[in-house]
Amino acid sequence: MSSKNFWIAFIAGTTAGAIVALLYAPQTGKVTRKKIGKAYDEAGDSFDDAADYVKDQAERLSKEANSAYKKSAKQLDQAYSKAIDALNDSYAEAKDKLSSVADVAIDNVETITKKARSLV
């Protein structure tokens, strides 16, 4: 049974017990009013305890959510940095290869030009 269900059952049981006690215990009005007041105070205490429990759970969940958010943000930053590094590396490699191809092409054009001049 979860804590929430426990508190609901506890409060319902307390209320039912108080009602049954009032119906089956013939007493004077003064005594009955005192018992009702006492039951009311106990129910208030139970509600206060339940409210404190809910507040504690909400604070705990809030901290866990904040921690998960920070962890996710850090992981996203790391993934972004890795992607940027990989992109920069690929760009540099492509630039180097393109430069090499251009150098070879220029050398070939110069060679062909020399051969063409020698033939003319």
Side-chain angles (χ1 to χ4, degrees):
M1 174 182 282
S2 72
S3 295
K4 178 183 173 186
N5 291 339
F6 169 80
W7 284 108
I8 290 171
F10 177 77
I11 291 168
T14 302
T15 304
I19 291 170
V20 169
L22 288 174
L23 292 175
Y24 288 101
Q27 300 166 5
T28 64
K30 185 176 183 179
V31 172
T32 302
R33 284 189 298 275
K34 283 184 181 181
K35 286 189 175 190
I36 290 172
K38 185 177 180 181
Y40 178 77
D41 290 340
E42 289 174 1
D45 291 342
S46 295
F47 282 122
D48 289 342
D49 291 344
D52 289 341
Y53 174 77
V54 169
K55 180 183 172 189
D56 292 343
Q57 293 302 312
E59 288 174 356
R60 181 185 61 80
L61 291 174
S62 174
K63 287 178 184 176
E64 287 179 13
N66 190 27
S67 176
Y69 168 77
K70 287 180 181 178
K71 183 178 179 182
S72 296
K74 183 178 178 181
Q75 289 174 343
L76 183 61
D77 286 343
Q78 290 172 346
Y80 177 77
S81 294
K82 286 180 182 179
I84 291 295
D85 291 344
L87 183 61
N88 287 335
D89 291 346
S90 295
Y91 173 76
E93 186 178 329
K95 186 177 176 183
D96 290 344
K97 286 182 180 182
L98 184 59
S99 178
S100 296
V101 168
D103 289 343
V104 169
I106 290 171
D107 289 344
N108 287 339
V109 168
E110 288 175 355
T111 303
I112 292 171
T113 304
K114 285 181 185 177
K115 285 183 181 180
R117 282 188 185 159
S118 69
L119 292 175
V120 174

